[in-house]
Amino acid sequence: MIGASCKRATQLCPCGYLGHPNGKCRCTPDQVARYRSKISGPLLDRIDLQIEVPSVPQEDLTRSTQGESSAAICARVATAHALQIDRQDKPNARLGTRDIDRYCTPDVKGADLLKQAIGRLGLSARAYHRVLKVARTIADLAALPTVGAGHVAEAIQYRRFDRG
């Protein structure tokens, strides 16, 4: 086992069908906004990956696709995990603030991008540190020694609900 993980999912609207391909959702934008406002900012700050996963259309469920095999993904994750342990004696998820400053510092373009995101999205200090840890993990999965702007951009994209 590489590490324990906590999975948490929430519906996007009161009925749970927002964005469904069959148009099942009948919630108004006001109902959706009220529903989403019940999730507190401090709680969202503690969730590293905040992404919306749309419903899959029926025809896509039965279509075979070519993609990376589970075995290849598992091997890449195991390699990234081993890299983290070798570098810092713990996985990125367990890094404290000082460790983040030491191991997750992005290159100049990445730092500039993160500064822009802080201003535009109003990221808290906690969200800022979580973005850096996720960006470091993305770089590790690519077996790259430096956190670049692309890694920071991808990590910011995973903070979907910070955008309101």
Side-chain angles (χ1 to χ4, degrees):
M1 184 168 145
I2 290 178
S5 67
C6 177
K7 297 177 185 175
R8 183 72 182 155
T10 185
Q11 302 291 348
L12 297 176
C13 69
C15 76
Y17 287 107
L18 184 66
H20 193 277
N22 292 340
K24 290 182 177 183
C25 180
R26 299 290 180 233
C27 299
T28 66
D30 187 51
Q31 288 172 315
V32 172
R34 275 196 315 268
Y35 181 78
R36 288 185 180 185
S37 72
K38 292 179 182 180
I39 303 171
S40 75
L43 175 64
L44 283 176
D45 265 355
R46 289 169 170 81
I47 301 171
D48 290 350
L49 306 178
Q50 306 168 13
I51 59 173
E52 189 173 321
V53 181
S55 297
V56 179
Q58 183 177 358
E59 59 274 7
D60 289 350
L61 288 173
T62 58
R63 185 181 311 144
S64 64
T65 59
Q66 297 296 323
E68 191 174 9
S69 71
S70 294
I73 294 169
C74 185
R76 193 160 33 98
V77 170
T79 299
H81 184 260
L83 180 82
Q84 293 167 18
I85 301 303
D86 289 345
R87 181 180 56 233
Q88 64 221 14
D89 294 324
K90 56 185 149 189
N92 293 341
R94 301 279 183 237
L95 294 176
T97 304
R98 288 188 181 134
D99 295 329
I100 293 168
D101 292 340
R102 181 173 178 190
Y103 300 113
C104 303
T105 303
D107 64 14
V108 174
K109 288 182 180 180
D112 288 344
L113 181 61
L114 191 50
K115 285 178 189 172
Q116 289 175 10
I118 291 168
R120 286 188 182 144
L121 303 176
L123 297 180
S124 67
R126 181 178 286 116
Y128 165 80
H129 287 118
R130 290 188 179 273
V131 166
L132 285 173
K133 288 193 291 185
V134 170
R136 174 72 265 170
T137 300
I138 294 165
D140 290 343
L141 287 167
L144 295 172
T146 305
V147 176
H151 307 124
V152 171
E154 185 175 344
I156 290 167
Q157 288 298 311
Y158 295 143
R159 301 293 304 186
R160 175 164 176 77
F161 296 114
D162 281 333
R163 287 178 232 145

